[in-house]
Amino acid sequence: MKNHSNASDERLMGNVADGEREHLETLVRRYASPLLTYIERMVGNRHQAEELFQDVFLAVWVKRKTYQFPRPFRAWLFGIATNRCREVFRRAGPIDVLPPHELIAAAPVSADPTPADTAVATETAELVVAAVAQLPAQQRTVVVLRNWNGLSYAEIAEITGRTTATVRSHMHHALAGIRRYLEPRMKSSDV
């Protein structure tokens, strides 16, 4: 098989749209970590995220003819994933967005954290997880895509089918909701 690692996502997807299945493998490898991480943060379950990841790439193959080159592939892909997550939300209701141990692992810590530092970090991570999980799905989507996946507001707007202004509004309301959730809990626990 030819090495396609230097081709742009859009070029690869254009080839997939033309029925060249081998290019899909490169896209799957390229997006394995960021897409799976996004889905897991959205649905709160690793096993379910793995199933949805496979479902998303099956949908990419099935919908390949609808891809319009040179449309940004990442936004198109995350849009499909977001729609699959919405289906889960409708069926299951609220979920945990990110396991606390992953938040702690991602947070910068001192070289030698004390047991007290570790306990505070764990408690804080659990509060943040709960705060994000209580958000409405559209706000949770924006927070996860922006803060944990590093997407721009314009990319999120394309993914969610909203305007950039609406996405920014969702982020504003999400942050206010997180703050409302955290403030009394952070004060009462002296974290």
Side-chain angles (χ1 to χ4, degrees), residues 48-63:
Q48 187 176 27
E50 289 170 353
E51 289 178 2
L52 284 170
F53 177 86
Q54 292 175 7
D55 186 42
V56 167
F57 271 100
L58 176 60
V60 166
W61 178 253
V62 169
K63 296 178 178 206

Side-chain angles (χ1 to χ4, degrees), residues 103-150:
L103 270 178
I104 294 165
V109 293
S110 66
D112 244 352
T114 66
D117 291 340
T118 302
V120 168
T122 300
E123 187 175 345
T124 302
E126 289 171 355
L127 287 171
V128 171
V129 166
V132 174
Q134 59 85 35
L135 294 172
Q138 68 273 17
Q139 292 176 13
R140 184 172 53 237
T141 300
V142 172
V143 168
V144 172
L145 287 172
R146 179 78 176 153
N147 292 341
W148 284 308
N149 286 79

Side-chain angles (χ1 to χ4, degrees), residues 4-146:
H4 307 289
S5 61
N6 294 331
S8 72
D9 295 342
E10 293 73 23
R11 176 64 56 206
L12 290 170
M13 188 58 213
N15 292 334
V16 170
D18 291 337
E20 297 177 32
R21 177 178 262 151
E22 70 273 8
H23 296 279
L24 187 60
E25 287 181 42
T26 303
L27 290 169
V28 169
R29 281 192 303 277
R30 207 174 268 183
Y31 282 92
S33 180
L35 185 63
L36 184 58
T37 300
Y38 166 68
I39 295 169
E40 185 177 2
R41 287 176 176 158
M42 292 302 294
V43 300
N45 178 295
R46 178 67 176 198
H47 179 71
Q48 187 176 27
E50 289 170 353
E51 289 178 2
L52 284 170
F53 177 86
Q54 292 175 7
D55 186 42
V56 167
F57 271 100
L58 176 60
V60 166
W61 178 253
V62 169
K63 296 178 178 206
R64 68 188 180 277
K65 298 282 187 197
T66 66
Y67 175 75
Q68 300 165 340
F69 180 83
R71 180 180 182 191
F73 173 74
R74 181 168 78 161
W76 189 70
L77 176 67
F78 276 80
I80 292 169
T82 299
N83 288 335
R84 293 297 190 264
C85 291
R86 285 179 183 151
E87 292 169 11
V88 170
F89 298 156
R90 281 191 290 270
R91 289 191 310 260
I95 46 84
D96 286 335
V97 177
L98 183 65
H101 68 276
E102 287 188 28
L103 270 178
I104 294 165
V109 293
S110 66
D112 244 352
T114 66
D117 291 340
T118 302
V120 168
T122 300
E123 187 175 345
T124 302
E126 289 171 355
L127 287 171
V128 171
V129 166
V132 174
Q134 59 85 35
L135 294 172
Q138 68 273 17
Q139 292 176 13
R140 184 172 53 237
T141 300
V142 172
V143 168
V144 172
L145 287 172
R146 179 78 176 153

